[in-house]
């Protein structure tokens, strides 16, 4: 096993380049997508698929989903290097969702550079993002690890389960975003995270369990670990946005109070609306709804969250979820090194900005 | 068997409503998507999934893909009514691609009403369209016809093959659209159609063959039929746009010369660029490239296509492809009624506007 988790990144990128080379030619197209009936246009496909995909990947990203997959595979007693193509499945899916989400949100910046749809046009970006939903699923058919048919089918059925729920989660999040009032409670918020963010984590864990032929209880346990970690991560992300903003009060930068400006219904917002005086709750929702907030409005919203104890509440929930994640894999019999790495993921969730 | 093909439409819509009810509740969500970890927000999911999906379906559409699937199933000697949920797979996929394509193209109108992203916002429309890529694939896991595991796996592997190629075809089309020059030839154009439009037809045919357990040669033959028919259909569509425009010369309506205005590299354009004097070919490309064409410019482009014999050429190619489609299913031993219906699809391709 590599010494640190980050050591895997170059190997993951090489495995992705085996699936989608940086330079596309007819031989690659024939071998990956099948013979053309007439004639492929490799130049067009280069510009529509490989160039935008590698532009996004080369901007960074820690390939955590691929690395977590490899940690599980090693924890299950198999050689991670043999399963590198499968590690690319959640990683390419994840990057595809980033491109599509940015189109949905009309995002301007991604990983410090213009969002892909601003570089290549909405049509190319969207088609590349959607292609990245199906390209990784083909890996199971190519079957580099020579898996028996029942495991390939189980992997497809698992992927269909999780990818359907991903779109439910995204659908809930978008719906709320477009609503004036904070209509939902904590349980719906956690479900949205479990579906939208958690399902991709569950794919990582379940895929590792399925291809190494683990019993259902183990697959279930690692799926719970991954879902809980992802939900905690999502809450941690929202907390960071608030803390970052409070720390920057008065700096008047673009980075200040992003989630409030976007009107995001975070766990903190839901908690604050439930636990504030009616007029303060009303004021918070008005600020979230408005398009033309001043920095003073943003600070006021942040102070309503703080005064309601919502930041502390969210941090407690995130820590609790991370602890539940660690408990979920207790007793699975992983070696100490694997347990240490899996704990590290759950700690990173809350502490990554410190 | 229903007397005419159109008689199937209400049964298809009922089958789709079994998969995505017009009114969504928690019971449905649990049974289709699985138990929530916390709590679903059925109101949000109603607005994000069911409402936009049924808005699009209720605007019309002939459900040809579902009907063609049922014709094949009956031709293979099975009861089509038993396989209605599977008929929804290509139909929901097709309608999902319509929503996504409209976002990619920035289309304003769809089936006589504002495109979905103009009614519900780009985020909701896009997420609904993408959800419709995965929702139908779940039908195989739900397995209403109790298929053996090998056929379910074969269906998934077929779908991954075809859906990957769909995105290649769309990628080629978009790339050319964004290019100044007509760079590609007839073979690449036909490949783009075979991938972009043909693969969904191939899904219809291959799915019917796989779930009724036909031998590989039969699956291949019906796939060829469907691909050839789809390519002929695409060319027929482009011809109709030109003929419609020529018939309307002087009417100065929005519907006049759409494909020229959009700069589409159709088979006729590719042929005309190859077979016109260099200055006429240059002029055609300049008109395709320009954003501010007058009606006179459009008419000039149309006349270049006519003068080069490109409309006749395209019609001949489409008729030839339709004949090849009919030949592909010769000798498969379908009953006369099935053969008649399958011929009807290939004739509809060219003659639908007469």
């Amino acid at each position: 096993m590599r010494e640190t988790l980050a050591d895997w990144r170059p190997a993951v990128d090489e495995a992705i380049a085996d699936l989608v080379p940086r330079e596309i030619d007819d031989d690659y197209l024939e071998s990956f997508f099948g013979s053309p009936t007439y004639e492929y246009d490799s130049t067009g496909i280069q510009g529509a698929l490989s160039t935008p995909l590698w532009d996004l990947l080369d901007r960074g990203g820690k390939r955590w989903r691929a690395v977590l997959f490899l940690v599980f595979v090693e924890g299950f007693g198999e050689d991670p290097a043999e399963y590198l193509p499968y590690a690319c499945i959640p990683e390419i899916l994840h990057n595809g969702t980033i491109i599509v989400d940015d189109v949905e949100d009309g995002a301007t910046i991604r990983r410090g550079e213009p969002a892909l749809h601003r570089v290549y046009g909405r049509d190319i970006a969207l088609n590349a993002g959607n292609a990245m939903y199906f390209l990784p699923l083909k890996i199971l058919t190519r079957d580099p690890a020579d898996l028996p048919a029942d495991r390939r089918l189980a992997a497809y059925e698992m992927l269909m389960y999780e990818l359907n729920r991903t779109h439910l989660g995204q659908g809930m999040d978008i719906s709320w975003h477009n609503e004036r009032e904070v209509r939902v409670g904590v349980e719906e918020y956690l479900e949205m995270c479990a579906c939208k963010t958690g399902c991709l984590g569950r794919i990582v864990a379940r895929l590792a369990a399925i291809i190494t032929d683990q019993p259902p209880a183990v697959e279930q346990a690692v799926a719970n670990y991954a879902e809980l970690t992802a939900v905690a991560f999502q809450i941690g992300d929202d907390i960071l946005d608030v803390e970052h903003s409070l720390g920057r009060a008065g700096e008047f930068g673009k980075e200040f109070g992003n989630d409030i400006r976007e009107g995001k219904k975070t766990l903190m917002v839901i908690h604050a609306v439930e636990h504030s005086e009616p007029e303060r709750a009303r004021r918070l929702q008005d600020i979230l709804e408005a398009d033309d907030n001043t920095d003073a409005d943003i600070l006021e919203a942040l102070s309503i969250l703080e005064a309601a104890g919502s930041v502390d509440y969210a941090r407690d929930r995130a820590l609790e979820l991370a602890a539940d994640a660690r408990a979920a894999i207790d007793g699975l019999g992983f070696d100490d090194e694997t347990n240490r790495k899996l704990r590290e993921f759950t700690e990173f969730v809350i502490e990554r900005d410190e």
Side-chain angles (χ1 to χ4, degrees), chain A residues 71-303:
Chain A
V71 170
F72 277 126
V73 167
E74 178 154 72
F76 292 139
E78 302 283 338
D79 177 8
E82 272 181 40
Y83 294 95
L84 271 167
Y86 299 92
C88 303
I89 294 176
E91 198 56 52
I92 298 175
L93 283 171
H94 165 66
N95 281 282
T97 64
I98 282 180
I99 298 174
V100 174
D101 285 2
D102 281 351
V103 173
E104 290 179 359
D105 300 345
T108 52
I109 300 290
R110 171 60 62 182
R111 294 180 184 157
E113 294 177 43
L116 260 70
H117 58 97
R118 288 167 52 100
V119 179
Y120 301 99
R122 195 166 53 209
D123 48 2
I124 293 280
L126 197 41
N127 187 64
N130 277 177
M132 288 159 73
Y133 287 179
F134 291 108
L135 205 140
L137 306 191
K138 181 104 192 238
I139 295 164
L140 290 167
T141 301
R142 288 165 62 93
D143 197 20
D146 206 14
L147 300 175
D150 64 332
R151 280 192 245 164
R152 270 145 59 210
L153 179 58
Y156 275 124
E157 299 199 330
M158 176 277 286
L159 283 159
M160 294 311 127
Y161 181 88
E162 303 297 347
L163 290 170
N164 268 287
R165 287 169 69 98
T166 303
H167 286 87
L168 279 196
Q170 177 75 350
M172 285 189 260
D173 196 21
I174 296 171
S175 286
W176 303 344
H177 204 102
N178 294 341
E179 289 172 9
R180 203 180 158 77
E181 307 285 322
V182 175
R183 180 176 54 74
V184 294
V186 170
E187 296 297 295
E188 286 95 344
Y189 177 83
L190 295 174
E191 186 64 29
M192 182 277 286
C193 295
C195 287
K196 181 182 155 157
T197 316
C199 285
L200 210 55
R202 292 171 57 92
I203 287 173
V204 170
R206 295 184 68 187
L207 190 63
I210 288 169
I211 66 170
T212 61
D213 206 16
Q214 304 303 314
V218 172
E219 183 183 335
Q220 180 69 49
V222 292
N224 288 346
Y225 160 90
E227 179 179 316
L228 288 158
T229 303
V231 177
F233 190 93
Q234 182 65 59
I235 297 171
D237 221 37
D238 297 339
I239 295 170
L240 281 179
D241 184 84
V242 168
E243 292 191 330
H244 198 230
S245 303
L246 286 167
R248 286 187 157 225
E251 283 187 34
F252 303 98
K254 246 190 178 172
E255 298 278 320
F256 173 73
N258 275 342
D259 287 352
I260 302 279
R261 281 186 214 276
E262 285 177 19
K264 255 178 97 170
K265 272 81 171 182
T266 62
L267 182 61
M268 288 167 286
V269 166
I270 290 167
H271 179 270
V273 167
E274 282 175 5
H275 293 86
S276 300
E277 302 285 308
E279 60 272 31
R280 304 259 291 168
R282 180 69 268 150
R283 176 70 184 132
L284 175 60
Q285 292 182 85
D286 287 343
I287 296 171
L288 286 166
E289 171 69 16
D291 286 330
D292 55 352
N293 286 308
T294 63
D295 284 353
D297 295 330
I298 302 295
L299 271 179
E300 185 182 354
L302 293 169
S303 75

Side-chain angles (χ1 to χ4, degrees), chain A residues 9-25:
Chain A
R9 194 186 146 176
V12 169
D13 281 12
E14 262 175 58
I16 297 175
D18 284 342
L19 297 166
V20 190
R22 289 173 180 273
E23 301 295 331
I24 277 180
D25 59 26

